[in-house]
Amino acid sequence: MLVEERERGKQFICNKKFESTNSKMQRGTRISFSSVNSSLSSLKNCQSYINTGMDIATHVALDLVENFNDEEDVRSMENVMLEYAALDRQLNHYMRAIEETVDQIKQDKPENIPDLKSLVKEKFTALESMNSDSDLEKNEKYMYFKDQLKDMKKQFRLQSDSNDNDDIEQIDEDIAVTQSQMNFICPITQMEMKKPVRNKVCGHSYEEDAILKIIQNRKQQKKKVRCPKIGCSHDDVKGSDLVPDEALKRAIDSQNKQSWSTL
């Protein structure tokens, strides 16, 4: 309930900023580009609210899988993510329409400033007319949500299978545990990861500090970084391609808790 109230509050703030931007555009010839830039800055703050909301939804979905495995609730969080993605797309189109309109006016240098609101609305409508559902599924945070959810469900199934099959021979259990723990080992440090990050390009994970240190060192040498995972052909690892691997971190923490409980 607290999260919902906070998100409604942020939505209200964003709507007010949209209204403020439209109000400034209605001033016709009195408008200044500095006021437009100020409005754009405010709209970009709305994007940070959207990103925060998507991060919260992702964490809630992972909690649901880890603790309850309630598919209906997980699907509801996916719908929330798609709603955020739609709002993010709309906001991006609106800002793009403003920026392109202002750039065109600066280039044409008309004697009288035209009706900015109408011009922006025209460009915005054109951009929105090209919308499709597939656009939302390409949203970067939505894609991250889906990847993390998939990994979390896989870890949940592995743990469930391990707990349900008590009649499996001990040697097979040991092999299964060993294979699972191998995924927890950083290919750089050869130690269990504490803060894993995933490479969006090749899908491999590393200890955050270790991979960032390599990237920094190679950058100073003006050389590219090859993925440290044996057998991976990706030869241009970038810091911008790394995202927190929340699902893997939860799996490692869960495995460690189970290990401590058996002592």
Side-chain angles (χ1 to χ4, degrees), residues 5-6 42 56 67 95 113 198 239 258:
E5 290 296 330
R6 179 168 31 177
S42 296
I56 292 173
N67 299 306
M95 291 191 295
I113 297 179
R198 169 178 287 190
Q258 290 182 15

Side-chain angles (χ1 to χ4, degrees), residues 196-209:
V197 290
R198 169 178 287 190
N199 190 325
K200 293 187 294 184
V201 178
C202 64
H204 293 128
S205 296
Y206 335 96
E207 182 65 48
E208 183 178 38
D209 289 344

Side-chain angles (χ1 to χ4, degrees), residues 17-25 27 31-46 91 94-95 98:
K17 288 178 178 177
F18 272 118
E19 294 171 4
S20 174
T21 302
N22 282 331
S23 176
K24 289 178 181 178
M25 289 183 178
R27 298 175 188 171
I31 192 170
S32 69
F33 291 129
S34 61
S35 66
V36 174
N37 291 335
S38 176
S39 296
L40 282 172
S41 178
S42 296
L43 291 174
K44 288 177 181 178
N45 286 335
C46 287
L91 187 57
Y94 193 67
M95 291 191 295
I98 295 174

